[in-house]
Amino acid sequence: MENNEKPRWRLVKTDNPPFWVKPLIPVLALIGTFILTSVLILLADANPFDAYYYFLFAPLENKVSLLEILVKSTPLMITGVAVTYAFATGYYNIGAEGQLYAGAIAATGIGMSMHGVPAIVALPLMIVGGFVAGMAWALIPALLKVKLAVDEVVTTLLMNSVMAYIVSAILNGPWRDPNSGWPQSPDIAPSAVFFKLIPRSRLNFGFILAIVLIIILWIVMTRTSFGLKMRAVGLGKPAAKFAGIKVNRTILTAALISGGIAGIAGVAEVAGIHFHLIGEISPGYGYTGVIIATLGSLNAFGVGLAAMFFGLVDTGAQTLSRALGVPVYLGEVTQATMLLVALGVLLLQRYRIRRM
Amino acid sequence: MYIVEMQKVTKIFGELVANDHVDFQLRKGEIHALLGENGAGKTTLMRILYGLYQQTTGDIFIDGEKVTINSPKDAIKKGVGMVTQHFALVPPMTVAENVVLGYTDSFVLDQAAIEKKVGEAANQFSLDINPKSIVRHLSVGQRQRVEILKALYRNAKVLILDEPTAVLVPQEVDSLFETLDRLRKDGLSVIFISHKLDEVTKITDRVTVLRDGKSIGTVDTVNVTQKQLAAMMVGRDTFGVTRQTEINPDNKKILEVEDLCALDDKGLPALKNLKLSIRSGEILGIAGVGGNGQKELAEILSGVKAPISGVIKINDKNLVGKDPSEFSKMGIGRIPEDRHEGVVGDLTVYENLALEHLDEYSKNGFLDKQAIRKNANELIKNFQIKAKPTDRIRTLSGGNMQKVLLARVLSRQPEVVIAPQPTRGLDVGATEYVRQQLLEQRTRGAAVMLISEDLDEILSISDRIAVIYEGEIVGTINAQNATPEKLGLMMSGALREKA
Ligand SMILES: Nc1ncnc2c1ncn2[C@@H]1O[C@H](COP(=O)(O)OP(=O)(O)OP(=O)(O)O)[C@@H](O)[C@H]1O
Ligand SMILES: [Mg+2]
């Protein structure tokens, strides 16, 4: 019989991966990414080890770039949290990008009319306004989902493109800067600007907001009955329905919360970084939020860590290009590679290698 | 020489020893029963043989050769096939496509060719199935036949069937047994898991009994009685449940259903002007051949399905149009027919136990974790559930999952208990336990509806028996006047009887 195969290394599926696997994932992802991108770095006439030093370690060595990491991770944490609410409930909201812009428009509109209004009134108004706007933008796909079972992945994604046109229409129409003629809104009132946490840096109140949202996410998911309802619906709709949970209402609520929080990301960018609305307020934070929620395995602290890591990579890409004169998009390629590798490693964690 | 021999196989999950040095031998051309209480480790042992789990220690031999089986693919290569309770078929595809799926050498599928090949295979094994049918349109019994064909098509010499009869109606069981008998004559070896001792004594050649993960021994079926098998399984003698006193005819009617009409999933009439009522302290058995509207009746009375017309009243209050949570608030205790639709597999035992009454287990929207855990610990103890509160439900054995559902419902002392197939997939001990629980609900004064395809079960604990046929109650008789023969006639639609 041909059963006498020699022992060799094989991948074997395991049901419960050992506890030390999780922390290893980013490390493995990094090594994999390093190997894959080294070729490109060599082609750009740089030393891969140097490059990675500038990419991942140099930003941690001085205060300015350290703060910059926190600045960059702020919108990512918020969109990551936003997406987590939806995904945990089994509602695949890919529309955080559009919802973010909805929030940014609201924040700009409110912010511009806050001249003479104290910050204590202006800031809450903008945050609430951004939340409501994000929610409103998330409403149509959510209603289509629960009333007509229309797939939300498609609708939320389409709504992003619609939003891009709306933003461009506003910036080229009513809000076009009368002086420069640029598609850029007038600035918001000074009292509507998020205060700085550290003088002469870009780190602002938005970061605190993001941390608070992460803590709230953690509390909601682990401590509240609504959190348990969301998880039950996300993990087993029929059983949740049988147990008397109002499945559609839970999905609708989660979808709206998700949209609202994505809207707050828009507020934080307008009030904390740009102070006016432009078309490029988000280089895809909404989409990155999907990745961060997934990499953070829908866990509040996982989301926080994943966002910080992306903040680091973002900052590092710039340090790298400045230091070695390689194109900035090398950073982007590296980020994309890392993403794919990380997702691969996430899948592989359910396997173990055995010699048999 | 044995076709399969497992030596000292041990499987450990965390702290739990699911299989403990199990020895198991399968002869060529025999049907070998694997018997044991819920959680005894039967499924685990078979999953190891089929490559879904790897044993922690121990050896497996096939045809005398030591083998390592890392995946179902390996198992199939070595001639081992398995049919699990949850079928792995692709519903929109044809039978032929499902059978060859993942087992074709060429990249392009030639429909006509595979249909011909699969048709020939079906003939060869005398499995009555049309290769052109779309799987979605097949009954459970037919789907099971496709799974068996799939295994045989891949040249399985050993066929593992994990509780194949739990999902079948009696006629389908008979036809399965005919098939197995024929295949045995052709030299196929079958491992057959079932909790129904009459099936085991009827079809198998030998029996291996597992208890608490250990093998208690293997016996020739002809040498043992069902009672002896039961004793081997539970380690003590079993006693049937006994019905208690007559019910007081003055007891109040608690549940009343009138003119209930409903459609099934395909949009065909499933219930036609169904009428019944249950008094306090009464068990009403609903007897009938599977597929005559029992599923729809249970779903409607659980609140997860809406009827097209009719009246459902509990203590004279209308229930039609209410949602599941209102059903349970108004005193209906609901056990789902398919337990996988009643629990969320990836949530823990304690979370699942609290899921139906979250309002009570939370204050101002926050979960009262202490109360939830206390409740879980109590129920686990009272209902003898073999699990820790923090275990994911997914890892529980079928019987223990069922106990979780029962505990969730019965601990609330509902006024009405809807119990569709409550002992499906349960071992003798657990079955006895569940029936005892239902009798206790009756003593307490609850109105119990027991929907079952098992006539013995219906006869053993019902006060009255209503027979359902094509969506109608064709007769209701007192249990004292009921005989299996009479019920059988009514179930086939040949006899109608008024109460
Ligand atoms: N993947 C798993 N992780 C942890 N524990 C498991 C896992 N699979 C099974 N178990 C445990 O192993 C024990 C044996 O389970 P198994 O499913 O083999 O029982 P069984 O004999 O098939 O019972 P039943 O008749 O109820 O189907 C149970 O206590 C179960 O909870
Ligand atoms: Mg089992």
Side-chain angles (χ1 to χ4, degrees):
Chain A
M1 294 209 54
E2 21 78 282
N3 278 335
N4 277 327
E5 292 165 23
K6 277 215 195 84
R8 57 185 169 102
W9 297 101
R10 300 195 197 205
L11 276 186
V12 177
K13 196 154 189 213
T14 138
D15 230 33
N16 10 17
F19 67 94
W20 45 263
V21 164
K22 270 253 146 79
L24 267 181
I25 291 174
V27 178
L28 287 177
L30 265 180
I31 297 174
T33 313
F34 178 77
I35 296 170
L36 287 174
T37 49
S38 289
V39 182
L40 292 176
I41 297 173
L42 286 172
L43 284 176
D45 271 341
N47 175 336
F49 287 98
D50 282 353
Y52 268 80
Y53 164 75
Y54 286 111
F55 196 37
L56 293 177
F57 299 102
L60 297 171
E61 284 171 0
N62 71 75
K63 198 179 133 201
V64 176
S65 50
L66 212 53
L67 292 175
E68 194 56 25
I69 294 173
L70 301 184
V71 171
K72 289 245 160 72
S73 60
T74 298
L76 297 178
M77 281 192 221
I78 305 181
T79 52
V81 168
V83 171
T84 300
Y85 278 102
F87 277 34
T89 319
Y91 179 83
Y92 293 96
N93 177 18
I94 314 292
E97 184 75 5
Q99 293 143 13
L100 180 151
Y101 273 100
I105 294 174
T108 313
I110 297 172
M112 289 189 308
S113 57
M114 286 293 122
H115 289 279
V117 180
I120 189 100
V121 179
L123 298 190
L125 263 182
M126 283 207 299
I127 294 171
V128 172
F131 188 86
V132 172
M135 239 167 61
W137 196 247
L139 182 66
I140 295 171
L143 281 178
L144 284 173
K145 168 75 174 187
V146 299
K147 299 280 180 217
L148 301 172
V150 178
D151 186 41
E152 75 277 13
V153 174
V154 178
T155 49
T156 52
L157 191 63
L158 287 177
M159 294 288 279
N160 289 345
S161 326
V162 177
M163 179 49 87
Y165 285 114
I166 293 182
V167 170
S168 146
I170 293 180
L171 290 181
N172 287 300
W175 283 1
R176 186 201 288 266
D177 191 319
N179 304 321
S180 68
W182 288 110
Q184 167 180 329
S185 80
D187 276 358
I188 56 176
S191 62
V193 169
F194 280 0
F195 52 87
K196 297 263 187 285
L197 297 182
I198 292 176
R200 284 193 308 282
S201 79
R202 298 207 296 162
L203 192 66
N204 62 75
F205 172 66
F207 182 69
I208 295 187
L209 204 54
I211 299 287
V212 169
L213 287 172
I214 285 192
I215 295 171
I216 294 178
L217 172 68
W218 178 74
I219 293 175
V220 168
M221 285 298 169
T222 61
R223 298 274 174 253
T224 69
S225 68
F226 181 65
L228 182 52
K229 282 181 194 167
M230 285 196 289
R231 287 189 290 137
V233 170
L235 295 169
K237 275 198 190 73
K241 182 176 179 201
F242 187 86
I245 294 173
K246 298 188 170 63
V247 171
N248 278 343
R249 191 190 291 176
T250 308
I251 292 179
L252 188 66
T253 315
L256 294 185
I257 293 178
S258 175
I261 291 178
I264 292 183
V267 178
E269 285 307 282
V270 168
I273 305 291
H274 298 280
F275 317 125
H276 49 240
L277 185 66
I278 48 169
E280 298 78 36
I281 227 167
S282 157
Y285 292 139
Y287 299 107
T288 316
V290 172
I291 290 148
I292 286 173
T294 311
L295 282 183
S297 19
L298 303 185
N299 164 297
F301 299 115
V303 167
L305 280 180
M308 298 262 194
F309 185 70
F310 270 72
L312 167 66
V313 171
D314 244 357
T315 314
Q318 283 167 14
T319 327
L320 166 65
S321 84
R322 265 201 310 275
L324 298 184
V326 298
V328 186
Y329 62 76
L330 204 55
E332 284 163 26
V333 172
T334 310
Q335 280 182 43
T337 312
M338 182 168 310
L339 232 157
L340 290 176
V341 176
L343 288 177
V345 176
L346 271 181
L347 272 180
L348 282 178
Q349 68 164 325
R350 279 191 268 125
Y351 291 81
R352 67 169 75 178
I353 301 170
R354 280 186 28 174
R355 189 177 163 82
M356 36 185 30
Chain B
M1 192 176 65
Y2 297 108
I3 186 157
V4 170
E5 178 160 18
M6 301 178 85
Q7 281 184 0
K8 299 211 178 340
V9 168
T10 297
K11 175 71 188 177
I12 300 178
F13 292 110
E15 292 162 20
L16 185 128
V17 185
N19 289 146
D20 188 356
H21 295 88
V22 175
D23 289 325
F24 175 80
Q25 291 127 353
L26 181 69
R27 290 181 186 147
K28 188 171 160 48
E30 74 167 341
I31 300 184
H32 193 132
L34 202 51
L35 211 56
E37 288 185 285
N38 295 122
K42 307 176 293 292
T43 300
T44 304
L45 190 68
M46 289 304 110
R47 289 183 140 234
I48 291 172
L49 181 56
Y50 191 54
L52 287 164
Y53 291 153
Q54 270 66 47
Q55 68 268 35
T56 314
T57 59
D59 295 316
I60 302 175
F61 299 83
I62 290 181
D63 279 333
E65 303 253 357
K66 187 168 161 183
V67 293
T68 41
I69 305 172
N70 291 317
S71 64
K73 221 173 165 166
D74 284 0
I76 289 161
K77 238 194 283 171
K78 289 170 177 130
V80 177
M82 178 161 174
V83 179
T84 51
Q85 263 195 45
H86 277 85
F87 302 143
L89 298 174
V90 189
M93 290 195 178
T94 65
V95 168
E97 284 168 325
N98 266 286
V99 168
V100 302
L101 199 67
Y103 195 72
T104 41
D105 14 10
S106 64
F107 188 66
V108 190
L109 279 184
D110 176 353
Q111 280 294 341
I114 61 166
E115 273 164 17
K116 184 155 168 281
K117 255 171 102 176
V118 171
E120 279 165 8
N123 278 338
Q124 182 196 337
F125 301 115
S126 325
L127 285 165
D128 176 21
I129 196 98
N130 179 358
K132 290 196 178 84
S133 318
I134 305 284
V135 165
R136 192 182 330 115
H137 299 150
L138 300 182
S139 72
V140 177
Q142 289 169 317
R143 287 183 198 204
Q144 190 175 60
R145 234 171 283 155
V146 178
E147 284 278 19
I148 293 175
L149 180 59
K150 209 165 113 183
L152 297 177
Y153 188 81
R154 286 158 172 67
N155 300 315
K157 295 173 289 180
V158 175
L159 187 63
I160 306 168
L161 302 172
D162 193 352
E163 298 193 33
T165 57
V167 291
L168 299 183
V169 299
Q171 298 91 319
E172 287 175 327
V173 173
D174 291 341
S175 118
L176 171 69
F177 283 2
E178 276 166 32
T179 306
L180 291 183
D181 199 35
R182 253 195 326 266
L183 292 171
R184 159 168 59 187
K185 291 200 183 96
D186 293 342
L188 185 79
S189 312
V190 179
I191 304 173
F192 177 83
I193 301 181
S194 173
H195 289 294
K196 297 182 188 144
L197 296 176
D198 54 329
E199 293 177 358
V200 169
T201 50
K202 185 168 165 200
I203 184 84
T204 68
D205 302 296
R206 293 197 302 153
V207 184
T208 294
V209 179
L210 294 185
R211 194 198 304 157
D212 285 335
K214 294 191 191 65
S215 167
I216 296 301
T218 301
V219 291
D220 288 328
T221 312
V222 288
N223 296 335
V224 284
T225 63
Q226 294 184 21
K227 225 174 154 55
Q228 285 167 327
L229 285 176
M232 275 175 88
M233 275 166 62
V234 296
R236 60 175 163 84
D237 283 334
T238 53
F239 319 92
V241 288
T242 38
R243 185 143 24 103
Q244 294 122 326
T245 51
E246 291 291 293
I247 86 151
N248 180 352
D250 297 336
N251 277 4
K252 196 167 153 275
K253 278 184 185 171
I254 295 192
L255 181 76
E256 283 177 279
V257 173
E258 269 162 37
D259 299 325
L260 198 64
C261 295
L263 303 177
D264 65 12
D265 294 339
K266 294 187 192 115
L268 302 172
L271 298 179
K272 299 166 200 155
N273 297 315
L274 184 132
K275 181 174 155 58
L276 57 82
S277 65
I278 314 179
R279 290 174 193 280
S280 159
E282 178 181 54
I283 298 184
L284 176 70
I286 306 278
V289 176
N292 273 292
Q294 293 98 320
K295 179 164 163 275
E296 288 77 11
L297 180 61
E299 283 177 355
I300 289 173
L301 292 179
S302 299
V304 291
K305 185 186 177 79
I308 43 178
S309 64
V311 181
I312 306 169
K313 280 190 292 188
I314 175 166
N315 289 325
D316 291 327
K317 282 190 294 267
N318 180 38
L319 274 173
V320 173
K322 308 261 189 226
D323 66 24
S325 68
E326 285 164 307
F327 270 65
S328 80
K329 278 207 194 86
M330 289 173 80
I332 298 207
R334 310 152 313 128
I335 303 166
E337 177 168 344
D338 177 352
R339 50 180 162 261
H340 294 276
E341 301 213 336
V343 292
V344 183
D346 281 309
L347 290 182
T348 60
V349 172
Y350 76 84
E351 285 169 331
N352 271 290
L353 281 172
L355 214 50
E356 205 177 347
H357 300 278
L358 280 179
D359 308 350
E360 289 167 35
Y361 291 114
S362 51
K363 285 184 205 134
N364 308 323
F366 282 84
L367 293 173
D368 184 349
K369 287 227 169 169
Q370 225 176 338
I372 293 178
R373 298 236 180 185
K374 186 161 155 270
N375 170 59
N377 283 325
E378 262 166 31
L379 295 186
I380 285 176
K381 192 161 142 267
N382 295 347
F383 287 78
Q384 297 149 28
I385 302 169
K386 222 177 126 189
K388 290 196 295 296
T390 49
D391 285 344
R392 289 187 191 287
I393 286 271
R394 186 163 49 80
T395 66
L396 266 57
S397 80
N400 282 304
M401 237 185 248
Q402 183 77 345
K403 283 186 176 179
V404 168
L405 285 164
L406 275 173
R408 186 166 89 183
V409 167
L410 299 188
S411 63
R412 317 222 21 120
Q413 316 228 325
E415 281 194 83
V416 177
V417 177
I418 308 293
Q421 325 291 352
T423 59
R424 179 184 279 175
L426 296 199
D427 63 52
V428 211
T431 298
E432 207 174 276
Y433 175 84
V434 169
R435 291 182 188 161
Q436 199 63 54
Q437 288 289 330
L438 292 179
L439 285 172
E440 271 170 34
Q441 299 297 311
R442 167 189 187 273
T443 312
R444 186 172 61 72
V448 180
M449 176 185 285
L450 168 69
I451 304 178
S452 179
E453 282 157 28
D454 180 348
L455 275 189
D456 294 334
E457 173 159 281
I458 295 253
L459 283 164
S460 73
I461 61 171
S462 310
D463 296 296
R464 277 187 309 140
I465 301 170
V467 176
I468 190 168
Y469 176 71
E470 293 193 338
E472 286 177 272
I473 300 293
V474 292
T476 308
I477 49 182
N478 281 327
Q480 295 101 314
N481 310 332
T483 60
E485 292 70 32
K486 190 167 179 183
L487 288 176
L489 276 178
M490 290 169 76
M491 281 161 64
S492 66
L495 181 68
R496 280 176 186 254
E497 180 110 5
K498 276 280 153 276

